Amino acid sequence: MAIKKSQLYSTLWKSCDELRGGMDASQYKDYILVLLFVKYISDRYGEEQDSVIEVPKGKKLGEGGSFKDMIYWKNKAEIGDNLNLIIGRLAKANDLTGIITVANFNDPDKLGKGKDMMDRLTNLIALFENPALNFSKNRADGDDILGDAYEYLMRNFATESGKSKGQFYTPSEVSRILAKVVGISKSVSQDQTIYDPTCGSGSLLLKAADEAPEGITIYGQEKDNATRALAVMNMWLHQYPDAEIWQDNTLSTPYFKNKLDGLETFDFVVANPPFSDKAWGNGFNPEEDPYQRFDNYGVPPSKNGDYAYLLHVIRSLKGKGKAAVILPHGVLFRGNAEATIRKNLIKTGYIKGIIGLPANLFYGTGIPACIIIIIDKEGAAGRKAIFIMDASKGFIKDGNKNRLREQDIHKIVAIFNNQDKRDSKYARLVSHQDIEKNEYNLNIPRYIDGQEIEDIQDIEAHLLGGIPNRDIEQLDHFWTVFPNLRKVLLTKSERPDYSQLRVGKEAIKPTIFSNPEFVGFLTEMKGIFASWDKKFNPYLKGLTQNCQPKKVIIQIAEKLLADYTDKPLIDKYDMYQHLMNYWAATMKDDCYIISEDGWAAEMYLVYSDKDKEKKKPKGWDCDLVPKELVINRYFDAEKRAIIALETERDAFIQALEELVEEHSGEDGLFTEVINDKGNISKGDVAKRIKLIKGNKVDREELAVLQQWIKINNAIAATKKKIKEAEEDLDEKLIAKYKVLTPEEIKVLVVDDKWMASLRKDIHGEIDRVSQRLTQRISDLAERYEYTMPALADRVVAMRNKVSVHLKKMGMVWKLKK
C-alpha cells in the first residue's frame, strides 16, 4: 500500500524525537539525514550489479555498508560503534568520507550511555525500517519524493535550530521564485551550467536545476564543511550525484577558476549569501583582489559584505548569463561606499529587476530582503530602466515566521517574467533617469506607493447626515459591474457630495442578493468553475499508475487561473490558492496513491497510539476513498437511521440531565445516590429503590428514582441499537469496498471528494464578493446613521429618563456641569 506523502514526512520527523534531550536541535540533521541517505542508497542500489554507487556487502550480515547491516545491530550493545563502521564502509566505497561520516553514532554525550544509547539507536533504525519507506523505485516517475522529504526535514531543522543556525537553508518558496525569474526554463542543453557561490545545503541550486528542461550541470561552493556535506547528500538524493560541491571561502579562495586562473563563468547563478557578512574580507586583501571583482565599482565596506557577494556573482557570469541574488533591503539605499557601488552598478545596466520580499521569511533573520536580477551583461548597455516590484505584502503567518503562499509565488513570477506594469502599486518599470533624480537610491517605496487608502471619517456627515460620495465612489469596481444596484441602494442627498440610503439598513443585504445584476454575476462566476470541472473531470478520472502528480497540478491549476483572469471583482490568485490549498491538504496524497496503486480502494487497520504492538485494531479506514464518501453515495438510508437514533439518544440524555438538575441540591431527591465525584450509578439507584420501596414517606423519591431508571434504560437501549446499526453498516461497507470497481472509485474520488470540496471553496470565495459590498454599505450606513445633534438629543432624553427613575426611588442625581 502506498504511503501518503504527508505520512512519510511525519514518520521522518518522529525520528527526531529519539534525539531530543541529548543534543541541540541544529545537530539532528547530522544523524537523521545520514540515516535517510543510507536507507535511500541501500534501497535504490543495494541489489544492483555494476552500479555507479557501490553498497558494500560483508561476509555476513552486519559487516557490510547497507541499511540491512544496520538492522542487524538493533538491540545489541555494540550498535553505536557498528553504525559508524557501516557508514564508513559506504563512504569509503563511494568517496563520501567527510560527507556522511560527520556524525558520531557512538557519542555517549549526545546519544546516552549503555542501554540508553542502544534503545535510542534501535528505535531510530526501526522508524526508517518502516516498509512504507521503501525507496527501491521512484513512487511516481518525475516526482522526487525522497528529495521532497529531505527538503521537509531541512525546513523543520532550520525552524528548530533557532535564529543563529538556520542559515544553511533557503525557504523553498523563495528558491522557487529565483529559479523561475532567472530564466533557466529557457536553457537548451545539459552542458549549460548553474552556480551558487554560497550554496548552503544546496536547496536553492536544486530548485533552480529543476527548472531546466534538458538538465543542467551544477556547481556550488560552501564555506562550512558540515553544511557542504548536507549539500552533497542533497544532490545524491535528488539524482544529481555528479554535481560538484566544493568546501572553502568563496570570496577569499574561490575554487572554480578558468585556465587563465581567473574566475570561471557560468550560464546561471543563484545565491542567498549571508546577510551583511562582517568578516567577508578575511583571508585576502579586497583592495588588491586578484579576480578584479571590485574594479570599476568600488570596494564594499569592511564590515558589510552584501555587495562583495553580488559583485562576485556578476564577475562569475558569462556575457549572456543570468543571475538572481537574495540580499537584505539595505543594499537598495545604504550610503557611503555602498552608494558608490550601487550608482556604478546601475549605470552598467546589468540590473534587470528588483523584487521586494516580505519581512521574516528567512530562518537566520527577520529583516526584509529583496531579489536582485542580473541579466545579459553583453546587452546591458542598452538597458535604461529597472523593473521594480513590491511583493512585501503577500504572505501568510506560519508559526513565528512568514511564508509565501502559492498565489504569492505565482503572482511574483508571472508579473516579473511578463514585465506586467498594469498594477502600479505592485510593479513599475523605473527609468535610470528617474533613479538618477533620486540620487541612485533604489528604496522601493520611492517608486511604488503601496499605501492602503485610508478610511477617513467625514465630520460634516457626522454633523449633518448623509453618506460621503467619496466613500461610495471607492466602490466603483462594484458599480461598474452592477450599475443599477447603486441606484437601487442610494439616492442623492440635499447637499452636494453626499447620498442617502434608499432602503432600510436591515434591507441592504436582501436588496443586494436579490438584485438581477448581482444574481447574474454570481451565476456567471460559478459557471466558470463548472466549465473547468467539465473540462478536467475526464482528465482526472483518466489518471493512471505512474502518473506524475507535479505535472497534474500544474496543468489543472494553470487552467483555473486562466479561466478567472480579467474577471471583474474576482482575484484570480485567490481562486488559484484555494486549489493549491486543497492540493496540499488532500489531492497531492491521493494522486501519489493513484500513481502507485491505481484506482484501488485499499483498506487498512487503524491502531491507537497506545497500542505499540499493533495487536488490537480500533477500526479500519481507506485513504483514497474515505468511508464517508461510500456511505453518502450507497448507504444514505442507513446513515439517516443512525442519525435518528443518535437524536433519540441525545433527547433521553437531556431528559435525564434535566431530571437530575431539578432534584439536586442539599435536600434534593438524589442526595442519597450521588457519590463523592458527583456522579450517579445505576447500581446505587437500584439499591436505594430496594431500600425505600413500600415506604409511604419516600413515594416522591421512589417515583423520581424509578423515572431515572426508566430513562437510563432507554439511553442504554438506544446506544445498543446505535452500535448494532453501526456494526451492520460497517459490514455492508466492507462488503461494498471489496467490490468497488475502478469506475465507481473514480466517481467517488473525483466527483464526490475532489470536485465537491473545490466547488465549496471556490463558491465561498465568490460569495465573499457580495459580503464585502454588503459589509461596506452597512458600515457606512451605521457610521452616519445618527448625526451628532441627534445623538446629543438622545443623551439628554436618556439623562432625563434616568433622573425621573432616580427621583421615584428617593435618590437625588445631579449632572455635573
Side-chain angles (χ1 to χ4, degrees):
M1 183 186 74
I3 188 173
K4 294 195 296 183
K5 203 170 186 181
S6 56
Q7 188 178 343
L8 166 62
Y9 294 168
S10 65
T11 299
L12 291 174
W13 191 240
K14 283 180 183 178
S15 62
C16 297
D17 292 335
E18 296 297 332
L19 300 177
R20 297 185 194 280
M23 65 187 76
D24 185 86
S26 64
Q27 297 173 310
Y28 295 167
K29 62 184 183 300
D30 300 333
Y31 293 86
I32 302 302
L33 292 175
V34 167
L35 284 179
L36 177 64
F37 182 82
V38 173
K39 180 68 165 67
Y40 170 75
I41 295 297
S42 300
D43 286 352
R44 185 73 185 240
Y45 303 105
E47 303 303 324
E48 290 188 10
Q49 300 295 324
D50 301 322
S51 171
V52 292
I53 299 172
E54 180 185 346
V55 181
K57 290 182 169 57
K59 293 181 179 179
K60 61 180 182 179
L61 192 61
E63 295 181 353
S66 72
F67 187 75
K68 288 182 180 179
D69 293 298
M70 288 183 166
I71 295 173
Y72 172 81
W73 290 102
K74 283 170 58 180
N75 297 306
K76 292 182 174 64
E78 306 87 353
I79 184 172
D81 187 44
N82 279 282
L83 290 187
N84 284 339
L85 292 172
I86 291 166
I87 294 167
R89 295 181 196 114
L90 181 63
K92 184 177 179 180
N94 296 282
D95 195 23
L96 290 171
T97 301
I99 302 298
I100 63 174
T101 55
V102 174
N104 180 6
F105 283 82
N106 199 33
D107 187 339
D109 293 332
K110 290 185 173 67
L111 298 168
K113 297 180 176 65
K115 190 174 185 304
D116 187 17
M117 177 189 287
M118 181 184 73
D119 290 344
R120 182 171 289 186
L121 292 177
T122 295
N123 293 338
L124 199 57
I125 291 171
L127 285 168
F128 283 88
E129 195 180 0
N130 183 343
L133 302 185
N134 183 350
F135 306 122
S136 59
K137 60 184 179 67
N138 260 343
R139 301 158 70 84
D141 185 32
D143 285 272
D144 186 13
I145 290 182
L146 224 300
D148 290 347
Y150 180 95
E151 289 295 314
Y152 167 84
L153 287 170
M154 291 299 295
R155 183 172 66 251
N156 281 277
F157 290 144
T159 301
E160 290 224 345
S161 294
K163 183 176 181 180
S164 64
K165 299 174 182 176
Q167 71 274 10
F168 55 80
Y169 178 71
T170 302
S172 172
E173 297 84 7
V174 181
S175 297
R176 287 168 56 198
I177 291 174
L178 268 71
K180 291 177 182 295
V181 299
V182 81
I184 297 175
S185 62
K186 296 179 181 177
S187 62
V188 295
S189 168
Q190 189 170 354
D191 293 333
Q192 289 185 276
T193 55
I194 184 167
Y195 166 59
D196 184 343
T198 56
C199 68
S201 63
S203 58
L204 175 54
L205 265 176
L206 287 164
K207 283 291 183 293
D210 283 347
E211 294 293 317
E214 303 299 328
I216 200 163
T217 304
I218 297 176
Y219 298 90
Q221 186 162 341
E222 168 55 38
K223 183 177 181 179
D224 182 78
N225 187 52
T227 305
R228 181 247 179 176
L230 296 178
V232 174
M233 283 192 288
N234 202 0
M235 296 297 153
W236 281 55
L237 292 174
H238 281 82
Q239 305 295 308
Y240 289 101
D242 295 328
E244 192 168 353
I245 309 295
W246 190 256
Q247 185 270 317
D248 215 329
N249 186 325
T250 291
L251 295 181
S252 67
T253 318
Y255 175 73
F256 300 104
K257 289 176 282 193
N258 57 31
K259 294 179 180 179
L260 300 176
D261 218 27
L263 288 184
E264 182 63 86
T265 55
F266 303 90
D267 296 293
F268 302 97
V269 180
V270 290
N272 179 17
F275 285 5
S276 305
D277 185 358
K278 291 179 172 54
W280 71 272
N282 288 358
F284 76 117
N285 182 359
E287 298 288 347
E288 299 177 1
D289 178 36
Y291 306 106
Q292 300 87 43
R293 288 170 289 191
F294 314 128
D295 291 6
N296 303 319
Y297 301 104
V299 177
S302 60
K303 297 299 183 182
N304 195 319
D306 293 327
Y307 273 106
Y309 288 103
L310 180 60
L311 293 174
H312 175 86
V313 165
I314 291 172
R315 185 67 183 82
S316 301
L317 270 183
K318 291 182 178 180
K320 292 185 178 296
K322 300 172 176 60
V325 184
I326 302 168
L327 292 170
H329 257 170
V331 301
L332 303 177
F333 54 80
R334 290 193 298 248
N336 301 319
E338 291 185 305
T340 301
I341 296 171
R342 185 170 57 248
K343 176 181 177 179
N344 292 332
L345 186 55
I346 291 169
K347 285 185 173 182
T348 64
Y350 290 171
I351 301 178
K352 171 76 170 179
I354 297 169
I355 301 171
L357 297 173
N360 203 27
L361 288 180
F362 298 91
Y363 293 99
T365 178
I367 65 174
C370 63
I371 302 172
I372 295 181
I373 298 97
I374 308 290
I375 292 180
D376 188 11
K377 289 194 293 184
E378 291 178 357
R383 187 176 293 127
K384 300 300 180 183
I386 298 175
F387 193 73
I388 299 179
M389 294 175 57
D390 180 7
S392 62
K393 297 179 178 63
F395 62 89
I396 189 173
K397 293 294 294 181
D398 186 8
N400 63 352
K401 304 299 293 181
N402 295 332
R403 180 169 55 83
L404 296 172
R405 300 163 294 181
E406 291 293 332
Q407 70 181 82
D408 303 318
I409 298 168
H410 200 294
K411 184 176 182 179
I412 290 170
V413 172
I415 288 179
F416 181 82
N417 286 346
N418 296 323
Q419 300 284 283
D420 187 343
K421 305 179 288 292
R422 285 176 293 178
D423 184 355
S424 61
K425 287 184 173 293
Y426 193 83
R428 279 188 61 207
L429 185 65
V430 181
S431 69
H432 286 179
Q433 187 176 8
D434 284 346
I435 294 170
E436 183 180 1
K437 291 177 183 177
N438 279 286
E439 299 179 332
Y440 296 95
N441 188 314
L442 290 173
N443 197 18
I444 292 174
R446 288 191 176 225
Y447 305 101
I448 296 178
D449 179 12
Q451 294 294 319
E452 299 291 335
I453 298 175
E454 187 178 356
D455 189 10
I456 300 173
Q457 298 277 345
D458 190 287
I459 302 300
E460 184 178 338
H462 280 301
L463 291 172
L464 302 177
I467 298 175
N469 287 345
R470 177 189 64 245
D471 291 323
I472 296 169
E473 285 159 5
Q474 287 177 2
L475 299 171
D476 273 350
H477 53 298
F478 285 103
W479 309 135
T480 301
V481 182
F482 318 126
N484 292 320
L485 180 56
R486 177 174 180 174
K487 299 174 185 177
V488 174
L489 288 171
L490 300 155
T491 185
K492 291 182 179 179
S493 173
E494 295 177 355
R495 302 185 343 273
D497 301 325
Y498 292 88
S499 296
Q500 298 285 353
L501 269 179
R502 299 187 68 172
V503 299
K505 190 172 63 172
E506 70 287 344
I508 293 173
K509 182 174 180 178
T511 299
I512 292 174
F513 274 63
S514 62
N515 181 266
E517 292 173 335
F518 186 78
V519 172
F521 167 79
L522 292 184
T523 302
E524 179 185 354
M525 292 303 106
K526 292 177 180 179
I528 293 172
F529 178 80
S531 297
W532 178 85
D533 179 358
K534 184 177 181 180
K535 175 178 176 60
F536 283 104
N537 198 295
Y539 167 76
L540 292 172
K541 289 176 180 175
L543 295 178
T544 60
Q545 280 181 280
N546 299 317
C547 66
Q548 298 181 27
K550 287 182 180 178
K551 291 185 177 180
V552 171
I553 186 56
I554 289 173
Q555 184 166 349
I556 65 176
E558 289 300 319
K559 184 62 169 68
L560 184 69
L561 190 68
D563 287 351
Y564 279 103
T565 296
D566 296 329
K567 295 299 184 288
L569 306 180
I570 295 293
D571 186 334
K572 62 181 180 180
Y573 291 109
D574 286 338
M575 301 305 193
Y576 175 82
Q577 187 64 41
H578 282 297
L579 173 55
M580 299 310 293
N581 285 346
Y582 186 67
W583 172 260
T586 302
M587 278 187 75
K588 178 171 67 175
D589 282 337
D590 288 348
C591 283
Y592 275 97
I593 291 171
I594 293 167
S595 72
E596 182 161 330
D597 300 333
W599 295 92
E602 297 285 345
M603 297 181 289
Y604 60 89
L605 296 175
V606 177
Y607 299 88
S608 67
D609 293 336
K610 297 179 181 179
D611 187 5
K612 293 184 179 180
E613 300 300 325
K614 306 298 182 186
K615 292 181 179 179
K616 297 180 180 179
K618 65 177 183 178
W620 61 276
D621 209 340
C622 176
D623 287 327
L624 185 62
V625 189
K627 293 180 185 179
E628 197 64 25
L629 296 178
V630 180
I631 291 172
N632 289 341
R633 181 165 282 273
Y634 297 105
F635 302 106
D636 186 61
E638 289 84 348
K639 176 183 176 180
R640 285 188 282 107
I642 291 173
I643 291 173
L645 286 171
E646 289 173 338
T647 302
E648 184 180 339
R649 175 204 58 199
D650 293 342
F652 285 134
I653 291 173
Q654 183 178 351
L656 194 66
E657 290 173 349
E658 291 172 354
L659 180 68
V660 172
E661 183 177 359
E662 181 183 353
H663 298 286
S664 294
E666 290 186 9
D667 300 322
L669 300 177
F670 285 103
T671 304
E672 298 297 329
V673 294
I674 296 178
N675 60 29
D676 293 339
K677 295 182 180 180
N679 298 323
I680 301 174
S681 71
K682 183 177 179 181
D684 289 340
V685 174
K687 289 179 183 178
R688 181 64 181 170
I689 289 174
K690 186 176 181 181
L691 180 65
I692 65 174
K693 202 167 186 180
N695 189 337
K696 294 181 180 180
V697 177
D698 299 319
R699 283 183 179 177
E700 184 181 359
E701 180 186 358
L702 179 63
V704 170
L705 294 177
Q706 288 175 331
Q707 179 69 7
W708 188 95
I709 289 289
K710 181 179 179 182
I711 299 174
N712 189 67
N713 288 340
I715 293 172
T718 309
K719 286 182 176 179
K720 183 180 179 182
K721 291 179 182 178
I722 292 172
K723 183 179 179 181
E724 291 172 348
E726 287 176 339
E727 289 174 348
D728 178 64
L729 176 57
D730 202 52
E731 290 180 6
K732 291 180 179 178
L733 271 176
I734 293 172
K736 183 61 181 176
Y737 270 86
K738 291 179 178 179
V739 297
L740 280 173
T741 66
E743 293 307 313
E744 288 176 315
I745 293 172
K746 290 175 183 180
V747 170
L748 287 164
V749 174
V750 178
D751 294 341
D752 298 357
K753 186 179 183 182
W754 295 349
M755 290 303 179
S757 295
L758 286 170
R759 185 179 299 107
K760 180 182 177 182
D761 292 341
I762 295 292
H763 287 187
E765 187 62 43
I766 295 168
D767 290 338
R768 275 187 281 277
V769 173
S770 62
Q771 299 295 340
R772 287 195 291 270
L773 176 60
T774 300
Q775 188 62 50
R776 183 57 177 165
I777 295 295
S778 297
D779 288 346
L780 291 172
E782 186 172 338
R783 177 183 296 176
Y784 302 113
E785 184 176 7
Y786 299 105
T787 63
M788 290 296 292
L791 288 172
D793 291 342
R794 290 182 70 189
V795 169
V796 172
M798 293 299 296
R799 181 190 61 186
N800 292 336
K801 189 174 182 180
V802 170
S803 180
V804 169
H805 285 294
L806 288 174
K807 286 180 181 179
K808 287 181 179 180
M809 296 167 63
M811 300 174 67
V812 178
W813 175 74
K814 293 182 179 180
L815 179 66
K816 291 183 180 181
K817 300 292 185 183

